[in-house]
């Protein structure tokens, strides 16, 4: 921890020194070198008790720091508020009041006036007390700069306070720097200085803290009660090397060693010991040490009582908790919010709801503020859960005069409890009261609407929905969900559909059951386009829901006609996309997705649909041009082949054309080869009886993917009594040219061009009429 020079100077000037025994020195000497000793002295705060003792640059730096920080517009100084903030350890408020006092002192001096009498009352002790509660090291430095300017002694207590700031944040490096400054300034260290570093080690690593304790003894500084208390508190909270049940042994060991050295444990030491046993649910031992503390004339504080109560809460002994509560009040102590919270939680857990209400009211009479809200919430929840809704309402009314911080959730919870109990009259009564008082919020409207649904009161339901919007409140997810349920219940499908889209735009997810009911309602109302558009919000809805598939099957003719209309619009949308890509491309994609969703819904039962259902589904895959397009095309065509085999009904030429066009757009060599095998092996109708137009498309597919099979396919086409039209020939040659243009490698370009020339030569020689 400390280097040799630092320790040597410190040991000769220590305010309170003790001499350790020879046996202790010998036992601990072997571990002393494991503590860090590296320092780089850096004097940041001028030393000495007067400004004259500092260099000119140091004086200028301190003056600039004070001037920059305090010469600003602040509130009038108030010494009593400053002292009160320090007393309650309110660092933020104390810092602000200190700023006001310093400004009141420095500003008049700059204008030649007399400083404020209030500001003059700031003493060295006040500054040290302020540093003791600050967590910001820079602010602590500024307080010291002010002390230097006031010529207050920068003594051991000041440096200890600075080290304490870093100890609270467990910053050992910065704490060491302050120690270097302290040594360089010639300021003596005391046991408090050592304890500050012990605090840091005890919070991180008990073993290292023990090593540091041994070094203290080696340097002639015997630990005091606070030293051991810090070790006990560190072990009690748990560190990386001490945790779980082993904490009990370590804490007890430190406590015994402290008493062996003749040190008297204080209330903090007893608290750490009692706490570790209470946390391990050993309340018998915790109680025995509590009794020992009383025998030693150590008065218990609120921490002792809250720890014992929390321990009894863990073992579910509420009566003993209440015994401690009465004991502390008998001693003249005032329970704090933490104690009330522990008691109320235990009371509600054990079904002692009357005790919970009384304790909460006691808390509200003593403390007013947000800290009381959680226990009020808990009691109301417990009362509502036990079916005592009227008692919950009466309890809230008793709490209102004592606390203005009660959460609005309590009102929502009360409304929900009455609604769950089927008390529609009470819901309506509270609704009127809250509305009159201007307390209605969006969650409350959701509860009232739910109650209106359960009591079949459409007038109240619609009134709430209207008032929710008239009040310009933002509906919550529960508001939308309940509104959707209500409007579906009363067959207002158009309003329910609009609410669904509003819900999506608001970023809320759709509940599957309500969503399916909405789609079914649109289908039953013959609002098929609206139903299909709703299904597009969730791509899997149609295929995942058995019930929805049944409804769709009942209206299959209507949905097939809707799909036909959408399919015919694809060509129009495609031409619009060419002229206005920014607008039409999204519209085209939406139409394709909707077609495919309808296809999945219509074919979910494996039923043979009209040919145009397959045709336009394949067109949609072709238009989408995504990674799933080819797979989707093959799956749909496989469905067609399966239905053809089962029914012996030929596949329409329009379906074959849509498939071949998709294959031409997205086909791969392996897929094309598999399709060719199917075409050639079909004994009933080779090549599915393709007409001349489809043969022309098939030849283009081969020209892109299997050029060696183009000439044999032409022969098969002629054998099937089909011929290539001049326009088909032109398109075939253009396909070769497109492949050549797209190809980057010169060797491949030549190979494709050679294949094209062979096809041209073959046709000119054998079928010149196709070339004409």
């Amino acid at each position: 921890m400390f280097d040799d020079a630092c320790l040597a100077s410190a040991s000769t000037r220590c305010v309170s020194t003790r001499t350790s025994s020879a046996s202790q020195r010998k036992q601990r000497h072997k571990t002393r070198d494991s503590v860090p000793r590296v320092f780089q002295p850096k004097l940041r705060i001028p030393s000495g008790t007067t400004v004259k003792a500092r260099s000119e640059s140091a004086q200028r730096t301190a003056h600039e720091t004070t001037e920059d920080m305090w010469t600003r517009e602040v509130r009038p100084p108030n010494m009593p508020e400053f002292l009160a903030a320090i007393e309650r350890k309110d660092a933020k408020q104390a810092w602000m009041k200190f700023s006001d006092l310093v400004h009141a002192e420095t500003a008049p001096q700059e204008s030649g006036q007399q400083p404020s009498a209030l500001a003059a009352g700031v003493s060295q002790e006040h500054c040290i007390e302020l540093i003791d509660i600050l967590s910001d090291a820079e602010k602590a430095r500024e307080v010291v700069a002010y002390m230097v300017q006031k010529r207050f002694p920068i003594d051991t207590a000041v440096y200890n306070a600075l080290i304490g700031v870093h100890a609270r944040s467990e910053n050992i490096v910065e704490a060491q720097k302050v120690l270097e400054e302290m040594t360089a300034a010639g300021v003596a260290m005391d046991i408090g200085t050592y304890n500050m570093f012990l605090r840091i080690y005890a919070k991180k690593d008990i073993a290292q803290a023990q090593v540091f304790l041994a070094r203290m003894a080696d340097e002639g500084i015997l630990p005091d009660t606070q030293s051991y208390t810090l070790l006990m508190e560190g072990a009690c909270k748990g560190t990386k090397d001490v945790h779980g049940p082993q904490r009990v042994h370590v804490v007890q060991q430190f406590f015994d060693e402290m008493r062996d050295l003749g040190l008297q444990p204080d209330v903090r030491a007893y608290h750490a010991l009692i706490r570790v046993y209470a946390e391990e649910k050993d309340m018998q031992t915790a109680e025995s040490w509590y009794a020992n503390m009383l025998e030693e004339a150590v008065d218990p504080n609120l921490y002792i009582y809250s720890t014992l109560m929390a321990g009894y809460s863990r073992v579910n002994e509420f009566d003993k908790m209440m015994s401690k509560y009465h004991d502390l009040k008998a001693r003249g102590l005032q329970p704090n919010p933490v104690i009330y919270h522990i008691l109320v939680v235990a009371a509600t857990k054990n079904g002692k709801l009357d005790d919970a209400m009384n304790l909460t009211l006691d808390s509200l009479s003593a403390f007013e503020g947000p800290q009381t809200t959680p226990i009020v919430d808990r009691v109301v929840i417990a009362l509502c859960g036990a079916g005592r809704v009227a008692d919950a309402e009466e309890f809230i009314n008793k709490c209102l005069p004592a606390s203005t911080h009660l959460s609005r959730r309590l009102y929502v919870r009360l409304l929900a409890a009455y609604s769950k109990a089927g008390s529609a009259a009470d819901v309506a009564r509270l609704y009127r009261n809250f509305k009159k008082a201007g307390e209605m919020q969006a969650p409350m409207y959701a509860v009232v609407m739910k109650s209106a649904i359960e009591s079949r009161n459409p007038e109240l339901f619609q009134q709430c929905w209207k008032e929710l919007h008239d009040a310009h409140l933002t509906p919550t997810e529960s508001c939308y969900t309940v509104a959707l349920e209500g409007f579906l219940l009363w067959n207002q499908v158009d309003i329910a559909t609009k609410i669904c889209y509003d819900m999506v735009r608001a970023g809320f997810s759709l509940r599957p059951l309500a969503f399916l009911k909405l789609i079914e309602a649109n289908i039953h109302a013959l609002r098929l386009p609206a139903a299909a558009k709703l299904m597009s919000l969730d791509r899997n809805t149609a295929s995942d829901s058995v019930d929805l598939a049944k409804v769709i099957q009942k209206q299959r003719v209507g949905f097939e006609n809707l799909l036909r209309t959408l399919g015919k619009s694809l060509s129009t949308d495609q031409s619009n996309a060419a002229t206005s890509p920014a607008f039409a491309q999204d519209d085209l994609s939406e139409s394709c997705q909707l077609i495919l969703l309808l296809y999945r819904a219509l074919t979910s039962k494996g039923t043979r649909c009209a040919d145009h259902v397959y045709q336009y589904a394949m067109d949609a895959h072709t238009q989408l041009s995504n990674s799933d397009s080819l797979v989707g095309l093959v799956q749909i065509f496989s469905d067609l082949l399966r239905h053809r085999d089962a029914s012996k009904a030929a596949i329409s030429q329009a379906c074959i054309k849509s498939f071949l066009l998709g294959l031409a757009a997205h086909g791969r060599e392996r897929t094309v080869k598999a399709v060719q095998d199917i075409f050639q092996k079909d004994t009933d109708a080779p090549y599915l009886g393709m007409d001349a137009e489809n043969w022309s498309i098939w030849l283009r597919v081969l020209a892109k993917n299997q050029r060696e099979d183009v000439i044999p396919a032409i022969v098969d086409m002629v054998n099937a009594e089909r011929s290539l039209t001049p326009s088909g020939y032109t398109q075939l040659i253009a396909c070769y040219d497109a492949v050549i243009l797209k190809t980057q490698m010169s060797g491949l370009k030549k190979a494709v061009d050679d294949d094209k020339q062979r096809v041209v030569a073959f046709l000119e020689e054998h079928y010149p009429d196709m070339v004409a």
Side-chain angles (χ1 to χ4, degrees):
M1 171 57 204
F2 304 118
D3 64 9
D4 294 334
C6 184
L7 286 167
S9 61
S11 62
T12 60
R13 294 188 299 273
C14 186
V15 174
S16 174
T17 60
R18 299 181 181 178
T19 304
S20 61
S21 65
S23 60
Q24 287 176 321
R25 288 176 180 273
K26 185 175 182 181
Q27 179 181 0
R28 293 171 176 170
H29 181 74
K30 59 183 180 181
T31 58
R32 58 184 293 181
D33 295 330
S34 61
V35 181
R37 298 164 173 264
V38 180
F39 286 92
Q40 295 179 357
K42 181 180 179 183
L43 190 61
R44 295 175 60 185
I45 296 183
S47 62
T49 58
T50 66
V51 179
K52 293 180 181 179
R54 296 177 293 151
S55 66
E56 181 180 351
S57 61
Q59 294 182 41
R60 184 172 59 253
T61 301
H63 173 73
E64 290 172 355
T65 302
T66 305
E67 183 179 39
D68 293 343
M69 290 306 301
W70 309 121
T71 54
R72 57 184 177 82
E73 183 179 355
V74 291
R75 296 182 178 181
N78 192 320
M79 176 63 77
E81 290 188 5
F82 171 60
L83 297 178
I86 289 179
E87 179 68 23
R88 64 176 181 268
K89 300 187 183 303
D90 186 344
K92 181 178 179 181
Q93 189 71 10
W95 172 256
M96 292 173 61
K97 295 304 174 184
F98 178 73
S99 172
D100 296 341
L101 290 165
V102 173
H103 182 268
E105 180 178 3
T106 57
Q109 290 178 348
E110 294 173 1
S111 60
Q113 302 175 12
Q114 290 297 320
S116 167
L118 285 174
V122 178
S123 66
Q124 181 193 26
E125 290 72 20
H126 296 149
C127 293
I128 293 174
E129 289 174 353
L130 176 59
I131 296 173
D132 280 337
I133 64 174
L134 289 174
S135 58
D136 188 326
E138 292 303 319
K139 288 184 172 59
R141 293 279 185 178
E142 289 157 16
V143 176
V144 176
Y146 168 78
M147 295 175 67
V148 171
Q149 190 180 49
K150 291 285 292 182
R151 301 189 179 184
F152 291 149
I154 309 302
D155 55 15
T156 303
V158 177
Y159 279 105
N160 284 354
L162 275 176
I163 294 172
V165 174
H166 299 299
R168 286 190 288 277
S169 61
E170 302 178 21
N171 191 333
I172 186 67
V173 176
E174 291 300 321
Q176 288 171 342
K177 291 179 181 179
V178 177
L179 178 66
E180 296 166 19
E181 297 168 10
M182 184 177 182
T183 303
V187 178
M189 296 184 294
D190 62 6
I191 185 63
T193 311
Y194 286 87
N195 282 342
M196 288 296 177
F197 285 92
L198 192 61
R199 179 197 301 270
I200 300 175
Y201 286 122
K203 288 182 178 180
K204 292 185 175 182
D205 191 327
I206 291 299
Q208 195 172 22
Q210 288 177 295
V211 172
F212 181 73
L213 193 71
R215 289 192 57 80
M216 288 172 58
D218 287 347
E219 300 301 330
I221 308 298
L222 285 180
D224 60 4
T225 299
Q226 185 184 10
S227 304
Y228 279 101
T229 300
L230 292 171
L231 289 170
M232 292 171 66
E233 289 175 343
C236 183
K237 292 178 181 178
T239 62
K240 63 182 181 181
D241 59 332
V242 177
H243 49 81
Q246 81 180 107
R247 296 179 305 141
V248 176
H249 172 71
V250 175
V251 173
Q252 185 69 63
Q253 181 181 3
F254 285 139
F255 187 83
D256 293 340
E257 185 176 342
M258 174 173 55
R259 298 217 297 189
D260 291 343
L261 291 175
L263 300 175
Q264 176 61 43
D266 58 10
V267 68
R268 281 182 59 188
Y270 275 108
H271 173 256
L273 185 63
I274 292 171
R275 175 184 169 182
V276 74
Y277 281 108
E279 288 180 351
E280 294 300 324
K281 301 181 181 181
D282 185 356
M283 294 309 299
Q284 183 176 357
T285 307
E287 275 287 358
S288 67
W289 283 114
Y290 171 71
N292 179 265
M293 180 183 70
L294 298 180
E295 292 173 2
E296 296 292 333
V298 178
D299 292 329
N301 59 15
L302 291 180
Y303 292 105
I304 295 290
Y305 282 111
S306 63
T307 299
L308 287 170
M309 291 178 190
Y312 281 122
S313 176
R314 292 187 185 93
V315 296
N316 206 27
E317 293 191 32
F318 180 72
D319 292 338
K320 291 186 177 181
M321 294 179 66
M322 290 301 296
S323 174
K324 294 301 176 188
Y325 172 69
H326 295 307
D327 185 17
L328 77 87
K329 296 194 77 173
R331 289 181 174 272
L333 297 175
Q334 173 61 46
N336 59 20
V338 173
I339 288 178
Y340 279 117
H341 184 269
I342 293 171
L343 288 168
V344 170
V345 169
T348 55
K349 189 185 299 183
N350 286 272
K352 308 286 187 179
L353 301 185
D354 292 328
D355 287 329
M357 287 190 286
N358 292 331
L359 287 166
T360 303
L361 292 173
D362 288 346
S363 174
L364 290 174
S365 65
F367 306 98
E368 196 280 329
Q371 70 268 25
T372 59
T373 300
I375 60 175
V376 177
D377 280 352
R378 180 173 288 274
V379 174
V380 172
I381 292 170
L383 288 169
C384 292
R388 297 173 58 178
V389 188
D391 289 341
E393 183 179 358
E394 182 181 357
F395 173 69
I396 291 175
N397 291 333
K398 289 180 179 179
C399 293
L400 284 175
S403 178
T404 58
H405 296 82
L406 290 182
S407 171
R408 294 185 186 275
R409 292 196 308 272
L410 289 178
Y411 305 140
V412 179
R413 209 176 298 282
L414 195 59
L415 282 166
Y418 274 126
S419 177
K420 184 177 180 180
S423 182
D426 286 313
V427 172
R429 174 179 57 81
L430 289 177
Y431 165 62
R432 290 191 297 270
N433 292 342
F434 292 150
K435 187 172 67 170
K436 185 177 180 180
E439 296 287 346
M440 287 299 294
Q441 296 294 316
M444 299 181 189
Y445 280 108
V447 175
V448 178
M449 288 191 294
K450 182 68 175 177
S451 176
I453 292 173
E454 292 172 350
S455 61
R456 296 298 189 268
N457 188 340
E459 292 78 12
L460 178 60
F461 172 84
Q462 295 189 13
Q463 178 187 350
C464 286
W465 182 247
K466 182 178 182 300
E467 289 178 358
L468 174 64
H469 288 278
D470 291 344
H472 302 291
L473 297 173
T474 302
T476 62
E477 182 177 5
S478 60
C479 288
Y480 281 119
T481 303
V482 173
L484 193 64
E485 179 184 354
F487 284 112
L488 285 176
L489 176 65
W490 287 295
N491 293 321
Q492 293 180 280
V493 183
D494 52 341
I495 300 178
T497 303
K498 180 181 180 302
I499 290 172
C500 176
Y501 285 110
D502 290 342
M503 190 175 181
V504 172
R505 280 191 292 269
F508 297 120
S509 58
L510 298 164
R511 295 188 179 181
L513 184 58
F515 185 49
L516 292 176
K517 287 182 178 179
L518 178 61
I519 295 174
E520 291 177 11
N522 276 279
I523 293 173
H524 285 306
L526 299 181
R527 291 166 43 90
L528 300 186
K533 191 172 181 181
L534 282 169
M535 285 189 289
S536 68
L537 294 176
D538 184 354
R539 306 298 185 207
N540 298 318
T541 299
S543 57
D544 288 350
S545 171
V546 176
D547 294 334
L548 183 59
K550 290 179 180 179
V551 177
I552 290 176
Q553 291 296 332
K554 291 178 182 178
Q555 298 291 338
R556 62 179 300 104
V557 176
F559 276 109
E560 286 183 358
N561 290 334
L562 175 61
L563 192 148
R564 185 199 301 273
T565 303
L566 291 169
K568 288 182 177 180
S569 70
L570 283 182
S571 57
T572 304
D573 290 342
Q574 189 176 13
S575 62
N576 288 339
T579 57
S580 179
F583 168 77
Q585 192 61 46
D586 290 340
D587 193 44
L588 177 64
S589 177
E590 183 179 353
S591 297
C592 291
Q593 294 286 3
L594 192 51
I595 288 172
L596 293 176
L597 187 139
L598 286 171
Y599 171 79
R600 288 196 295 271
L602 290 168
T603 59
S604 61
K605 292 291 186 179
T607 309
R608 177 72 156 90
C609 296
D611 282 351
H612 70 265
V613 172
Y614 303 95
Q615 173 192 344
Y616 292 129
M618 288 187 287
D619 289 345
H621 274 303
T622 303
Q623 296 291 349
L624 282 175
S625 299
N626 56 32
S627 58
D628 296 328
S629 293
L630 182 59
V631 175
L633 281 166
V634 172
Q635 287 177 343
I636 294 173
F637 196 70
S638 297
D639 289 343
L640 277 171
L641 291 173
R642 186 175 64 256
H643 289 306
R644 187 206 63 169
D645 294 340
S647 63
K648 303 301 180 181
I651 300 174
S652 69
Q653 293 299 315
C655 288
I656 297 173
K657 179 180 178 180
S658 292
F659 175 67
L660 292 176
L661 287 174
L663 207 58
H666 307 295
R668 298 291 184 269
E669 182 177 351
R670 184 175 179 181
T671 306
V672 172
K673 179 64 176 175
V675 172
Q676 185 180 29
D677 291 342
I678 293 173
F679 284 173
Q680 292 175 341
K681 293 177 181 178
D682 195 326
T683 56
D684 295 335
Y687 288 93
L688 304 180
M690 291 191 302
D691 58 17
E693 181 182 9
N694 286 333
W695 268 106
S696 176
I697 299 172
W698 175 241
L699 291 176
R700 296 201 296 273
V701 172
L702 293 174
K704 283 185 175 182
N705 298 277
Q706 288 181 240
R707 298 188 306 277
E708 68 277 9
D709 291 331
V710 172
I711 292 177
I714 293 174
V715 175
D716 289 341
M717 177 183 68
V718 173
N719 292 336
E721 300 181 354
R722 303 287 189 269
S723 63
L724 190 65
T725 63
S727 63
Y729 171 77
T730 303
Q731 291 174 337
L732 178 61
I733 300 305
C735 183
Y736 276 110
D737 293 337
V739 174
I740 293 171
L741 185 64
K742 186 178 179 180
T743 303
Q744 300 295 325
M745 295 182 293
S746 58
L748 185 58
K749 281 179 179 288
K750 185 177 185 308
V752 176
D753 187 61
D754 290 344
D755 288 337
K756 182 183 79 170
Q757 297 303 326
R758 278 193 289 271
V759 170
V760 171
F762 177 80
L763 289 172
E764 288 177 346
E765 179 181 356
H766 298 284
Y767 309 106
D769 55 326
M770 297 185 186
V771 183

